[in-house]
Amino acid sequence: MSHDDGDRGGLPRASLEDLERLPVGPDAGSCSPEDWEQLRDLAVGRMQRGELPAGTRIRWGRLALAALLGKYPEGRSQWLVIESARVRAYLIREFGPDATDPARDLPALRADVLRNLGMSKETAVRLADGWRTLPWEQMLRLRLAKGMLSALHPVLPLLEDEGSVTDGLRAWLELAPRLP
């Protein structure tokens, strides 16, 4: 998928079907994180094109999620959780939750965010008020937690409708504005 800057790698001209094969194809391992970022950018843009049929937009969203796995080859980093949560929240908000579709499974999204916050709520509360004086690493941990929680805001009404806003999640969401 390598490209020169003027060509954009031919991605915009490739069919959705061809691009969907890329993450599982033999060339997937030779793609750089920048290549995967380019594919993610393209897929997110197409996912958001309202003139496309819903099924096509959902496929573009799934492709964006697959590209993120290539962009973050080291595994389930908090950056991966943040970016994938944003794509998943968009798909859920636009097309509704679907427990049979991992890209639109609302309880799984909520669980992924809570599981990957990287610290206890008590620790975050203790650090929140004085975050400006914290070492950079601790500020970053708080910022990553806020990024994950912010991804849930577009689907918050749906979480409330299904009773998925537990007291623990509510406390995290109330804390998020105090984080850097």
Side-chain angles (χ1 to χ4, degrees), residues 78 113-120 141 145 148 172:
Q78 289 180 306
V113 167
L114 290 174
R115 180 176 47 255
N116 287 285
L117 287 169
M119 70 184 76
S120 70
R141 287 179 57 209
M148 284 183 256
W172 271 109

Side-chain angles (χ1 to χ4, degrees), residues 15-57:
S15 71
L16 174 56
E17 292 76 18
D18 288 342
L19 293 173
E20 286 173 321
R21 285 190 284 276
L22 184 62
V24 295
D27 295 331
S30 65
C31 295
S32 71
E34 293 78 18
D35 293 332
W36 291 115
E37 173 66 13
Q38 180 185 2
L39 179 58
R40 187 210 62 88
D41 285 348
L42 175 69
V44 166
R46 300 271 171 90
M47 170 187 76
Q48 295 174 341
R49 290 178 67 178
E51 72 273 9
L52 294 176
T56 301
R57 292 173 66 198

